[in-house]
Amino acid sequence: MSEPAIDYPRITRRTLHDEVLERLRDMIIEARLAPGQRINEGLVGAQLGVSRTPLREAIKTLASEGLVEILPAKGAIVRKFSARDLADILEVLKTLEQLGGRIACEQASDATIEAIHAMHRQMMALYETRSRLEYFKLNQDIHSAIVAASDNAALMEMHATLQARIKRLRFVGNEGPAKWAGAVAEHEEMMAALLKRDAAELSAIIGVHMDATLLRVRELL
């Protein structure tokens, strides 16, 4: 009698490209590379300990995500977003996440929802220790996971593209204890609605959360 198959998680190895891409993205999110600043390939490469080739590949990826602009005679520039850019992107993101949340409530497995809940608990632990960058990354992963729970590939692709463009802005939107606490409270309500599979409530809370995000960030532009 054969033994039942066990679905073990795969061991993944990160490539140099992935490492450089994440480090460069973090530098933009934390404003170590500020909006409008030219990316000095020699200086940044030396800081990261890599040659220009993997750095340029990472820059191309960030350009495709909309975080970097490559301009003639100027090179790679960290993209600077206007208040209108922010409002337009958040309006579409809100609609995408509301749709993803409704579908997730209706169709996602119990295991999928529990996995998202586990991510939320981990995020709250990071909030308690004020590990801000790690908190932010997991926060964004939760937004993506709710959309992914819809199992709609087109929706996931559109959401990932727009979410990547305003990571820096959403990160600074949580600066200060009051703003951060407000965002955390909204996430608590989102998770409660997801666990109840209350599609209407989750959609409404996502709307409130995204509108509040716009207010928290817009004053910083």
Side-chain angles (χ1 to χ4, degrees):
M1 183 176 177
S2 61
E3 295 184 0
I6 300 175
D7 185 17
Y8 290 108
R10 290 178 177 269
I11 297 174
T12 59
R13 294 182 180 178
R14 304 192 70 190
T15 64
L16 178 61
H17 172 76
D18 292 336
E19 294 285 354
V20 174
L21 178 60
E22 181 174 3
R23 293 285 295 277
L24 196 57
R25 189 185 286 118
D26 287 350
M27 292 174 75
I28 292 173
I29 289 173
E30 295 182 292
R32 284 179 283 162
L33 290 171
Q37 180 180 342
R38 185 178 72 85
I39 300 176
N40 184 318
E41 293 181 2
L43 179 60
V44 174
Q47 290 175 335
L48 298 182
V50 297
S51 67
R52 293 196 178 196
T53 298
L55 183 61
R56 285 174 178 169
E57 290 302 314
I59 288 172
K60 288 179 183 178
T61 300
L62 291 175
S64 70
E65 292 179 359
L67 281 175
V68 168
E69 295 178 294
I70 299 177
L71 304 177
K74 291 185 177 181
I77 308 293
V78 178
R79 184 173 175 180
K80 188 173 183 178
F81 291 89
S82 67
R84 176 61 185 273
D85 292 332
L86 174 67
D88 288 349
I89 292 172
L90 282 176
E91 183 178 15
V92 178
L93 274 175
K94 177 171 71 173
T95 301
L96 296 176
E97 291 193 9
Q98 286 176 321
L99 175 58
R102 287 196 298 269
I103 298 174
C105 285
E106 295 164 1
Q107 299 182 11
S109 68
D110 290 343
T112 295
I113 290 180
E114 176 51 37
I116 297 173
H117 189 206
M119 294 170 68
H120 174 77
R121 293 194 299 270
Q122 183 181 354
M123 183 191 77
M124 294 302 295
L126 292 169
Y127 175 63
E128 291 300 323
T129 59
R130 299 301 188 267
S131 303
R132 190 157 169 258
L133 182 58
E134 291 75 14
Y135 164 93
F136 173 75
K137 290 181 178 181
L138 191 53
N139 176 292
Q140 295 293 279
D141 287 344
I142 289 170
H143 280 268
S144 297
I146 292 173
V147 171
S150 69
D151 197 29
N152 184 313
L155 178 59
M156 292 161 60
E157 181 180 1
M158 293 177 66
H159 179 263
T161 298
L162 292 178
Q163 185 184 44
R165 289 183 186 174
I166 58 170
K167 283 187 175 182
R168 161 64 190 161
L169 294 177
R170 295 185 78 169
F171 179 72
V172 299
N174 284 341
E175 286 181 346
K179 288 183 178 181
W180 196 357
V184 167
E186 290 153 16
H187 260 265
E188 290 268 58
E189 293 179 3
M190 287 166 54
M191 190 53 53
L194 180 63
L195 290 171
K196 292 188 296 183
R197 293 182 179 269
D198 189 330
E201 182 177 350
L202 178 57
S203 179
I205 295 168
I206 288 173
V208 169
H209 181 59
M210 300 301 270
D211 290 344
T213 297
L214 176 59
L215 294 176
R216 284 190 286 262
V217 176
R218 188 164 55 187
E219 65 186 55
L220 300 172
L221 294 175

